Amino acid sequence: VSEPLRFTVNGVEQELDAGASTTKLAAFLRDELGATDVKLGCEEGACGACSVLLDGEDVPSCLVLLGRMRGRCVRTPGHLARDELGRRIVAALMQPGALQCGFCTPGFLCAAYGLALARPAVAGAAVRARVEQALEGHLCRCTGYRRIVQAVEAAVGAE
Ligand code: FES
Ligand code: FES
């Protein structure tokens, strides 16, 4: 008999039957926990809408199987604004032009937060390069990206 799957989501312990191993994290978060802050777009790792922080790293939850989740710690985008860093990033992304329909915004929040946690030891023009690298794989159909990059740069650069 396989061990149950244990991991945390937004600080709450989850314990699932090992039979759930092949369920995708995105489906579990949305369908079982009602986490609609995790968006579903492509469902194949190409758009970033479903991003979560997994042990502090921005990952597309549509690519993660629950069988890989043992002992791990998930934070969904809606819970990131519970600390000062998260609030600053949300405030930056709310600036005019950085957000239009908002579908992609939770994913960009995760990308920015993950980047800030990684504390890139760079300054000046190198910050822009790190931001652009962190936002790769996050698609926005509305904004044209420039304002999003500027917003994240401002939030992360203030770290
Ligand atoms: S829905 Fe997961 S990356 Fe697009
Ligand atoms: S604001 Fe609409 S997809 Fe990005």
Side-chain angles (χ1 to χ4, degrees), residues 88 127 131 152-159:
R88 192 166 71 233
V127 175
V131 167
V152 173
E153 194 176 10
V156 173
E159 257 298 274

Side-chain angles (χ1 to χ4, degrees), residues 11-153:
V12 178
E13 192 82 35
Q14 309 291 323
E15 181 174 321
L16 304 178
D17 188 274
S21 291
T22 56
T23 300
K24 296 209 172 137
L25 177 60
F28 172 73
L29 293 171
R30 288 177 57 88
D31 300 342
E32 303 299 326
L33 301 187
T36 53
D37 51 328
V38 178
K39 304 299 181 194
L40 272 189
C42 65
E43 298 190 55
E44 54 186 32
C47 76
C50 65
S51 279
V52 296
L53 280 195
L54 187 55
D55 295 327
E57 191 181 341
D58 172 38
V59 300
S61 60
C62 69
L63 293 186
V64 179
L65 297 179
L66 293 185
R68 307 292 300 272
M69 287 297 298
R70 281 193 170 87
R72 314 219 41 196
C73 167
V74 178
R75 293 175 73 191
T76 65
H79 282 247
L80 297 182
R82 294 188 171 185
D83 62 32
E84 177 55 34
L85 171 61
R87 283 192 288 275
R88 192 166 71 233
I89 294 170
V90 169
L93 285 169
M94 294 293 156
Q95 291 304 305
L99 181 148
Q100 289 182 33
C101 81
F103 186 80
C104 65
T105 306
F108 280 105
L109 174 57
C110 288
Y113 199 105
L115 175 63
L117 285 184
R119 294 183 183 277
V122 292
V127 175
R128 169 70 56 98
R130 286 297 303 266
V131 167
E132 288 176 346
Q133 186 182 29
L135 301 188
E136 269 174 19
H138 288 265
L139 302 186
C140 174
R141 292 168 192 225
C142 306
T143 66
Y145 299 104
R146 190 167 60 89
R147 292 294 177 86
I148 294 177
V149 169
Q150 288 171 345
V152 173
E153 194 176 10

